[in-house]
Amino acid sequence: MKKRIVAFVLAATMGLSMVACGSSSGSGSKSSSDGASSGSSELVDGKFTETKHITVEVYDRGNDGGTDPTDNMYTEYIKKGMLEDHNVEVEFVSVPRWTETEEINNLLASGGAPDICLTYSYPTIQTYANMGGVTDLKPLMDQYGSELTNLQDWLGDTNIYWDLDDEKGTLWAIEGKRANNRRINTFMRKDWLDKLGLEEPTTKEEFYNCICAFRDNAKELLGKDADKMVPFSVSFDVGWRAALLIESEMDPKITDKEFYINGFDDRKLTQKGTKEAMKTLNKWYNEGLLWKDFALYTAGDSTEDDMMKAGYVGAFQHNWDYPFRSGDDSIQANLKRIVGDDAKYVAVDCFENSEGKHLKYVDSTAGDRKIFFPSTNDEPLASLLYLDWISAPEHIKYLQIGDEGVTHKVLEDGAIELIPATGDPIMNSGNNIDYTITCNGLSLGDEDLTLLSLAHSYPSCDPEDVQKALDIAATDNKIAKNVKVPEVLAENGMGEALGSKRDVVYDTALAAKESDFDKVWDNALEDYLASGGQAIMDERTQKFEAVYGDSTSVE
């Protein structure tokens, strides 16, 4: 906490020493052709006449057996290409993935942030933008947009201008694109179901009966390790890891207005129905169905993954492809190696809502990492050219699949299948998304080839299992809409603080005695609201009504 306070104190003085790169545009125009200049006289055939130097943020995931995220064959590919194509030297700066918001806060506050930054936290960007610490990208896109054809073709206006302030005309960030619009799945041990003669669950009740059976048959399933049984694992990040249960309790006819007002926290803490979902989880926790020690661990800790790999976990909810990630070190590959050939997780679809549908709330193609330039960036054109370069189809494709025979092979039907890599060719993130920062998810430049190859893009995993997860994650999806309202001032600087309080609400309520649940939940939520949550909701209500009037929908 002390470190966080220091960062904000430093930030308060930062604006005095920073000079923004480009003034704010008063126009809400999106197209770069609307009054755009002829581009840059600095470039000759797309290259600077004098070598430029830029720094680029890259996540450090601390993977066992991974490579240095700032120095490997993929960073060299980018460095060589940018130097040859644009005469720009690229230097990568690593930021810990699991504390990225705090780290970016500190780098921005000290004036030492990389020229190209990314974060999942837009409130962090907005806070520093208000202090003069972030570059307005709108004038830059007006001036140089016509030269950024790869970026324009890949992201389009939707992602480039998703965060455009229609009132002020400012654009503080560009949204990376979700190439494959899938979010969360429920996974369950197929071999355990088979051993106990159980069908894959299709309802919440059936799911509950399955995890009860896991608990009650721990000796048969785990033998001498029966005491390590975790029927259903939910980590400290409860709002993400129980998302499908929470969403099943929400009103499927929820209005855009209500969803937005309660949407500052993407873990759906204040949405109607969340308390009921948590009451269910609390009951399961007290019945010995959940991981007892979940609240002791934080992001980046491998304890839970290690339990899954060792074969102690019966079910969990996570990113739609989570057990398949990381090649030979994936949960699925380790489970098979440690437990046996039949051991595996399969995706199941079992959290129905009041209409009997398995509704899943997913982001639009936007809503991924937000890419921004701090105002200390004195090479904005070189930085834009970098974003354009990594958005070229051929560059995305190479970074995602590497070299044939080394990191992938081509199947008879033309599909690309990734194969386990060792040494330098190892990818620290799935499909190398830490380098393809404008692209999250497989994109091979051809939609048919991409769809054909998706199920083959997880080395050491059965493509049929991946395909099933793909199909389930695409079932009954509800895509988020872009609510365009003026800046909500109450949100400034609150993302990290309220995120921590949100976790306290979830964690304490989940682990409370069943008889104390209502009191614990209500008190913790009251504290969250009093600490800024209610002010945000009130201002969101005001701003929504100011733009959309009596309407409760966004058209």
Side-chain angles (χ1 to χ4, degrees):
M1 177 62 72
K2 182 178 179 182
K3 188 175 183 182
R4 192 177 305 152
I5 293 172
V6 170
F8 277 99
V9 170
L10 287 170
T13 62
M14 182 178 62
L16 298 176
S17 62
M18 291 185 170
V19 180
C21 302
S23 60
S24 298
S25 169
S27 169
S29 170
K30 295 181 180 181
S31 173
S32 62
S33 61
D34 295 343
S37 73
S38 58
S40 171
S41 59
E42 299 178 69
L43 303 178
V44 177
D45 295 328
K47 300 177 68 171
F48 289 99
T49 55
E50 295 183 4
T51 303
K52 303 294 184 179
H53 180 90
I54 61 171
T55 52
V56 180
E57 177 186 349
V58 62
Y59 286 144
D60 183 351
R61 298 177 182 268
N63 296 348
D64 291 338
T67 62
D68 181 346
T70 68
D71 184 17
N72 54 58
M73 64 175 283
Y74 303 108
T75 60
E76 287 305 307
Y77 172 80
I78 295 171
K79 290 177 181 179
K80 180 181 178 183
M82 280 295 295
L83 193 60
E84 290 180 351
D85 294 348
H86 298 301
N87 199 18
V88 175
E89 291 180 341
V90 176
E91 176 186 352
F92 288 95
V93 178
S94 64
V95 168
R97 167 65 184 97
W98 309 116
T99 55
E100 60 99 358
T101 301
E102 181 179 355
E103 186 69 17
I104 284 297
N105 264 313
N106 293 338
L107 289 170
L108 287 167
S110 66
D115 295 319
I116 298 176
C117 291
L118 60 145
T119 180
Y120 285 94
S121 172
Y122 190 79
T124 295
I125 300 172
Q126 184 68 68
T127 296
Y128 284 92
N130 291 343
M131 291 187 282
V134 177
T135 299
D136 182 3
L137 298 174
K138 180 59 168 60
L140 296 174
M141 290 304 300
D142 286 345
Q143 183 173 2
Y144 302 120
S146 61
E147 300 179 48
L148 309 173
T149 54
N150 294 313
L151 189 68
Q152 297 275 9
D153 290 345
W154 172 242
L155 295 183
D157 280 357
T158 296
N159 287 64
I160 292 176
Y161 296 103
W162 182 270
D163 296 312
L164 179 69
D165 188 319
D166 288 334
E167 185 179 70
K168 299 178 181 178
T170 51
L171 180 66
W172 301 123
I174 290 173
E175 297 275 343
K177 184 175 180 178
R178 295 182 183 275
N180 309 304
N181 204 14
R182 292 166 176 84
R183 187 165 165 262
I184 291 176
N185 271 333
T186 304
F187 294 96
M188 186 163 270
R189 283 286 294 275
K190 173 65 173 170
D191 53 316
W192 284 7
L193 293 173
D194 291 344
K195 191 169 186 177
L196 298 177
L198 299 172
E199 298 293 326
E200 294 176 19
T202 60
T203 66
K204 275 180 276 193
E205 183 179 4
E206 290 175 359
F207 177 83
Y208 172 71
N209 291 337
C210 286
I211 60 176
C212 284
F214 293 164
R215 176 199 61 194
D216 297 340
N217 293 278
K219 186 70 174 177
E220 180 181 352
L221 296 173
L222 290 177
K224 62 182 178 59
D225 291 322
D227 62 327
K228 296 183 174 66
M229 162 66 72
V230 177
F232 181 35
S233 188
V234 176
S235 81
F236 75 97
D237 190 0
V238 178
W240 183 260
R241 296 292 303 284
L244 298 181
L245 173 60
I246 292 171
E247 291 163 12
S248 73
E249 293 290 348
M250 291 169 56
D251 181 358
K253 292 185 171 61
I254 186 173
T255 65
D256 296 337
K257 180 179 181 180
E258 182 179 347
F259 190 80
Y260 170 73
I261 290 170
N262 291 279
F264 170 71
D265 186 284
D266 70 347
R267 267 49 173 175
K268 300 181 174 62
L269 180 67
T270 61
Q271 299 286 1
K272 292 178 181 177
T274 298
K275 181 179 179 180
E276 289 306 308
M278 286 304 301
K279 185 172 288 189
T280 297
L281 274 183
N282 170 259
K283 174 178 177 291
W284 292 356
Y285 181 86
N286 283 288
E287 291 178 358
L289 296 173
L290 271 62
W291 181 25
K292 282 291 184 183
D293 297 331
F294 76 97
L296 300 179
Y297 301 92
T298 58
D301 184 273
S302 67
T303 301
E304 187 187 23
D305 281 8
D306 291 343
M307 292 193 306
M308 295 173 184
K309 293 174 180 178
Y312 304 144
V313 176
F316 65 94
Q317 288 179 15
H318 215 310
N319 296 348
W320 76 267
D321 59 348
Y322 195 74
F324 313 129
R325 296 177 174 183
S326 302
D328 266 349
D329 194 38
S330 68
I331 290 170
Q332 198 85 315
N334 275 284
L335 186 62
K336 182 177 180 179
R337 186 162 49 243
I338 295 171
V339 178
D341 289 342
D342 293 335
K344 68 176 180 179
Y345 287 102
V346 293
V348 294
D349 211 5
C350 54
F351 288 89
E352 80 282 6
N353 62 17
S354 60
E355 293 181 341
K357 295 182 179 179
H358 300 89
L359 193 63
K360 305 170 186 71
Y361 290 78
V362 299
D363 291 314
S364 71
T365 58
D368 189 43
R369 292 149 306 175
K370 296 87 175 68
I371 303 163
F372 67 101
F373 301 168
S375 58
T376 47
N377 181 335
D378 57 4
E379 295 292 352
L381 176 55
S383 301
L384 285 173
L385 289 173
Y386 178 89
L387 297 183
D388 186 73
W389 193 91
I390 62 165
S391 298
E394 65 272 21
H395 298 151
I396 292 175
K397 182 176 181 179
Y398 178 78
L399 289 169
Q400 290 192 335
I401 67 174
D403 296 310
E404 186 173 358
V406 179
T407 50
H408 79 271
K409 60 183 177 181
V410 181
L411 304 181
E412 289 184 4
D413 60 359
I416 302 296
E417 180 175 83
L418 295 189
I419 56 180
T422 58
D424 206 33
I426 288 175
M427 298 182 186
N428 293 321
S429 55
N431 300 128
N432 258 339
I433 62 171
D434 292 341
Y435 300 116
T436 63
I437 57 176
T438 60
C439 175
N440 188 343
L442 189 68
S443 177
L444 300 177
D446 178 279
E447 186 174 355
D448 291 337
L449 177 62
T450 300
L451 290 174
L452 190 65
S453 304
L454 269 172
H456 298 278
S457 59
Y458 297 86
S460 303
C461 296
D462 186 339
E464 290 187 5
D465 293 334
V466 180
Q467 187 61 56
K468 183 178 181 181
L470 276 163
D471 294 340
I472 288 177
T475 302
D476 293 339
N477 283 351
K478 186 171 184 176
I479 299 175
K481 296 181 180 179
N482 191 9
V483 178
K484 300 290 286 185
V485 300
E487 176 189 353
V488 179
L489 300 177
E491 296 180 1
N492 290 344
M494 297 304 296
E496 193 174 354
L498 283 180
S500 297
K501 283 191 173 289
R502 168 205 67 210
D503 289 340
V504 170
V505 179
Y506 276 132
D507 293 355
T508 55
L510 192 155
K513 292 181 180 179
E514 197 168 350
S515 60
D516 294 338
F517 173 80
D518 286 320
K519 178 179 65 176
V520 172
W521 175 271
D522 292 344
N523 289 343
L525 185 61
E526 182 180 355
D527 180 56
Y528 173 90
L529 295 174
S531 300
Q534 188 63 56
I536 290 172
M537 293 165 65
D538 291 344
E539 189 176 348
R540 280 192 164 214
T541 302
Q542 176 189 355
K543 293 290 172 65
F544 188 99
E545 292 175 350
V547 174
Y548 298 101
D550 295 333
S551 176
T552 59
S553 65
V554 176
E555 299 299 336

